[in-house]
Amino acid sequence: MAQDSKAGERDAAGEKPGFQPFDPATIEPYVVKDPEALTVNIARMVEQLGKAASAWLAPRESGAKVDTVSEPMVDMVKTLSKVSEYWMADPRRTLEAQTMLLGSYFNIWSRTLGRMGGEDAAPGPDPHAKDKRFTDEDWVKNPFFDFLRQAYFVTSDWAEKLVTDAQGLDEHTRHKAAFYVKQIASAVSPSNFVTTNPQLYRETVAANGANLVRGMQMLAEDIAAGRGDLKLRQTDTSKFAIGENMALTPGKVLAQSDVCQVIQYDASTKEVLKRPLLICPPWINKFYILDLNPAKSFIKWAVDQGHTVFVISWVNPDERHAGKDWEAYAREGIDFALDTIKQATGEDEVNAIGYCVGGTLLAATLALHAKEGDKRIRSATLFTTQVDFTYAGDLKVFADEEQIDLIERGMQATGYLDGSKMATAFNMLRASELIWPYVVNNYLKGQDPMPFDLLYWNSDSTRMPAANHSFYLRNCYLNNTLSKGEMVLAGKTLSLKDVKIPIYNLATKEDHIAPAKSVFVGSQLFGGKVTYVMAGSGHIAGVVNPPDKNKYQYWTGGPAKGEFEAWIGKAKETPGSWWPHWHAWIKAEDDRMVPARKTGGSMNSIEEAPGSYVRVRA
């Protein structure tokens, strides 16, 4: 019998065609060099892990902390069970789902075996090639790690498809299921574990596990700092101090109420616009996001353009503020600031800015003012503000009746919502960027995070008064009353159609908190002229974008009417910051100038800016 003439062929090196000989250098970085040192460090790691466990258990054993982790887990299980019910109710659907996943696994396994056998398989298009979690070259170069990476993406894509294709789910349940699947997928990524992440594995071998010892020590420190909860460090907080290298714009605290301090900033120009500018920031975070440092400060820039800038610095509340609701924040916050401006400058007309939930409060207060005939605010600018919560994004996951009731019961015990709860919720919106990279860097690599002012501000969370937060969740996220003309404030039913003043409504393209479409839809609810502008980047970077950085871009167009996608298709893109465009808009409304004002006028100041309220940490 004739033998295949090619079966015995060899190349010049004596190898079969396509065969790649074993290269010891490829696994050298993964070989433990000093087993004894590794063993000692593993023991030290376990010791530090024990300290972390003790830091977590101590406040629970003493009764200082009541653990409620199981309650959101119950909601997740209930939600995902509804997806499972659809696929398991019909054996054919069950088989279809299993076949879909197993077929994908078989394809990956076949390609991996081929690569390990020397086949030079040309890779197809990789939709996940830009994923920052998998930038190490061994994720593709090494067949083992490449298999893990592909299997992970196949599984997570399959799970997302199960949610998308499940029939009979209401939209809120589908939204929650998709969110929970995304959170699980982020958590179980092979990039998060030492033995399945090539870079982590190499670094652990090279350090004989010393990185894990340091990482578990940091974990114990962070749980202790969180008083039994993990306070994930995202930056080196020792490098920043409010009033020393952050929030530096010169000014004075002129007045304070139970809920806020009012700051006026010193003029830097010989003349200033006649209308002062009042900024109403969110109370969920602190106002100095608009005054991080002189190079990034919107407040300083506005002062340098000739604005007399006043800022509300909200209190970091405790149990004494439990009953402070939205009416209190409108009266003792915005109206109190307007009274202060009148006393300090003598001016009755003001331009106002509201940021995020501060903008939602400002919009509601404007509607209340319209009912009362209060015309002190003559123009309003809203930064990433929602007044209609139909398209409010992933935060709606936390805002159904059952979960709000759970939050309210938790707030009854203390009078407030702990700031860490909101911080965790915001981080979960971008878990693959704001949670797991820091878990890997801090606790597995054992490296201190780099100093970054924005992340310092992000970690400087605030508490929320129980009455205020309950009103916000129920009226905005749950029942959307402001958009429906059903919100009641100070005994009056509010309508945004009553707000006739000009509005500059700024959205940001990649916003996860106030999506650009949501802001666009809300623009159509006001009774006056609205200038809708969409900036590049997200909720923070899209707003804090100084002109001299020449970063990102913004889009302008006609009235915010019709479909959002149609507006985007016709909008004009302009490179750089939107700040000068906004300033031109302000001046077009009223460009009268007056001599620069002395800070406070005849008022005695309480203290220097940025004041004491902003320094209180949660």
Side-chain angles (χ1 to χ4, degrees):
M1 187 177 216
Q3 196 174 29
D4 186 343
S5 61
K6 293 186 178 181
E9 288 184 3
R10 302 275 177 167
D11 61 18
E15 305 291 355
K16 293 182 178 180
F19 179 78
Q20 296 178 355
F22 170 70
D23 182 2
T26 60
I27 66 166
E28 179 68 20
Y30 299 98
V31 176
V32 176
K33 308 296 190 306
D34 191 341
E36 183 178 351
L38 178 62
T39 301
V40 170
N41 280 329
I42 292 296
R44 294 174 60 202
M45 179 198 74
V46 172
E47 179 185 359
Q48 293 297 330
L49 188 58
K51 293 180 180 179
S54 296
W56 186 84
L57 286 170
R60 289 162 174 81
E61 291 176 340
S62 67
K65 183 176 290 293
V66 178
D67 216 337
T68 57
V69 173
S70 62
E71 291 166 326
M73 292 295 291
V74 168
D75 184 73
M76 181 179 71
V77 172
K78 286 170 57 178
T79 302
L80 295 181
S81 293
K82 294 178 181 179
V83 178
S84 300
E85 286 172 8
Y86 170 78
W87 289 101
M88 298 183 71
D90 184 338
R92 288 176 298 180
R93 285 200 293 263
T94 305
L95 180 61
E96 176 190 344
Q98 292 174 340
T99 302
M100 185 193 318
L101 180 62
L102 293 176
S104 298
Y105 284 161
F106 180 77
N107 290 336
I108 297 171
W109 182 245
S110 298
R111 289 195 300 270
T112 302
L113 287 177
R115 286 190 61 191
M116 296 179 72
E119 293 180 10
D120 187 16
D126 186 354
H128 305 290
K130 295 183 179 180
D131 194 310
K132 294 179 181 178
R133 295 171 294 177
F134 300 93
T135 54
D136 189 278
E137 64 175 11
D138 271 6
W139 281 115
V140 174
K141 185 178 177 181
N142 186 299
F144 171 72
F145 293 112
D146 187 35
F147 173 82
L148 291 176
R149 182 182 69 92
Q150 292 186 68
Y152 166 70
F153 282 124
V154 161
T155 307
S156 57
D157 290 347
W158 171 79
E160 290 178 8
K161 184 174 176 58
L162 291 186
V163 174
T164 303
D165 292 352
Q167 298 178 17
L169 299 179
D170 62 89
E171 283 309 305
H172 182 62
T173 299
R174 190 185 305 278
H175 188 179
K176 287 205 297 182
F179 180 81
Y180 289 140
V181 164
K182 184 167 63 175
Q183 297 305 312
I184 294 170
S186 294
V188 301
S189 168
S191 60
N192 297 337
F193 303 94
V194 171
T195 55
T196 56
N197 182 325
Q199 184 184 19
L200 274 176
Y201 197 111
R202 292 195 306 266
E203 292 184 9
T204 301
V205 167
N208 291 316
N211 53 311
L212 299 178
V213 179
R214 170 60 181 149
M216 292 305 101
Q217 180 183 348
M218 292 171 67
L219 178 64
E221 293 170 354
D222 290 353
I223 294 175
R227 299 184 183 91
D229 288 331
L230 177 61
K231 186 175 176 62
L232 182 66
R233 67 179 89 181
Q234 296 175 317
T235 185
D236 184 353
T237 58
S238 67
K239 297 295 190 293
F240 301 102
I242 297 172
E244 295 180 18
N245 57 3
M246 311 184 82
L248 298 178
T249 303
K252 291 180 171 57
V253 176
L254 300 184
Q256 69 182 39
S257 68
D258 285 344
V259 302
C260 75
Q261 290 187 321
V262 180
I263 302 170
Q264 180 184 356
Y265 291 93
D266 301 340
S268 63
T269 55
K270 291 183 178 180
E271 289 190 318
V272 294
L273 287 165
K274 180 173 172 56
R275 288 184 185 172
L277 177 66
L278 172 63
I279 299 177
C280 178
W283 53 88
I284 290 173
N285 301 106
K286 295 183 178 180
F287 81 87
Y288 66 91
I289 185 59
L290 296 175
D291 192 26
L292 283 176
N293 61 54
K296 296 179 182 178
S297 174
F298 175 83
I299 290 172
K300 181 181 183 302
W301 183 86
V303 168
D304 291 343
Q305 308 313 303
H307 292 273
T308 303
V309 179
F310 290 80
V311 170
I312 295 172
S313 174
W314 298 108
V315 71
N316 199 340
D318 53 35
E319 61 278 359
R320 297 170 297 173
H321 303 88
K324 296 294 183 181
D325 57 11
W326 266 43
E327 182 181 349
Y329 271 57
R331 298 303 197 196
E332 301 172 44
I334 293 176
D335 286 353
F336 177 71
L338 291 171
D339 293 341
T340 303
I341 291 173
K342 170 66 175 177
Q343 189 175 353
T345 67
E347 297 293 343
D348 292 312
E349 296 187 354
V350 173
N351 297 316
I353 291 176
Y355 194 167
C356 189
V357 65
T360 310
L361 175 69
L362 176 61
T365 304
L366 289 172
L368 177 62
H369 282 183
K371 293 285 187 184
E372 298 173 337
D374 187 334
K375 298 182 178 180
R376 287 178 290 178
I377 298 178
R378 303 309 301 154
S379 80
T381 298
L382 304 176
F383 294 168
T384 60
T385 293
Q386 297 177 101
V387 294
D388 185 310
F389 287 74
T390 304
Y391 303 101
D394 284 345
L395 280 177
K396 290 187 75 172
V397 167
F398 305 104
D400 53 34
E401 181 64 46
E402 189 173 352
Q403 293 188 84
I404 291 176
D405 181 66
L406 174 64
I407 292 170
E408 288 174 336
R409 283 189 280 116
M411 291 191 296
Q412 285 176 2
T414 57
Y416 57 83
L417 180 74
D418 192 87
S420 64
K421 306 298 183 185
M422 285 299 296
T424 298
F426 286 131
N427 285 340
M428 286 175 69
L429 299 182
R430 296 167 58 197
S432 292
E433 299 172 40
L434 293 177
I435 296 179
W436 297 109
Y438 296 98
V439 169
V440 170
N441 185 78
N442 298 355
Y443 311 132
L444 299 182
K445 291 186 178 181
Q447 297 177 356
D448 288 312
M450 298 292 290
F452 186 19
D453 53 7
L454 179 58
L455 289 176
Y456 175 87
W457 168 84
N458 189 56
S459 69
D460 191 8
S461 57
T462 61
R463 297 176 287 262
M464 266 66 70
N468 176 305
H469 199 55
S470 179
F471 184 96
Y472 175 50
L473 291 177
R474 289 192 173 278
N475 282 270
C476 295
Y477 281 95
L478 184 62
N479 297 318
N480 204 11
T481 59
L482 186 58
S483 70
K484 298 174 182 176
E486 298 172 358
M487 180 179 283
V488 177
L489 205 60
K492 295 180 172 60
T493 302
L494 308 182
S495 172
L496 291 175
K497 288 298 180 187
D498 295 337
V499 180
K500 308 289 187 182
I501 64 173
I503 290 178
Y504 188 100
N505 209 5
L506 179 79
T508 55
K509 185 179 181 182
E510 300 168 16
D511 200 330
H512 292 74
I513 296 170
K517 181 176 182 177
S518 184
V519 177
F520 178 87
V521 171
S523 298
Q524 304 175 33
L525 301 177
F526 294 97
K529 183 179 179 181
V530 177
T531 300
Y532 177 81
V533 177
M534 185 177 75
S537 196
H539 193 74
I540 302 301
V543 174
V544 184
N545 183 23
D548 60 357
K549 302 297 183 184
N550 199 29
K551 293 177 67 177
Y552 311 127
Q553 66 283 102
Y554 63 93
W555 289 265
T556 53
K561 296 180 179 179
E563 297 297 322
F564 173 65
E565 292 75 16
W567 188 92
I568 291 294
K570 297 178 181 179
K572 176 187 175 184
E573 179 179 343
T574 303
S577 173
W578 56 270
W579 292 9
H581 181 268
W582 167 80
H583 181 60
W585 178 84
I586 285 282
K587 293 189 69 175
E589 295 300 328
D590 188 340
D591 62 356
R592 291 175 294 169
M593 306 293 287
V594 297
R597 303 174 172 105
K598 176 188 173 184
T599 302
S602 60
M603 297 180 68
N604 293 322
S605 64
I606 296 174
E607 57 185 328
E608 296 294 316
S612 54
Y613 277 21
V614 74
R615 299 176 194 269
V616 177
R617 295 184 66 88

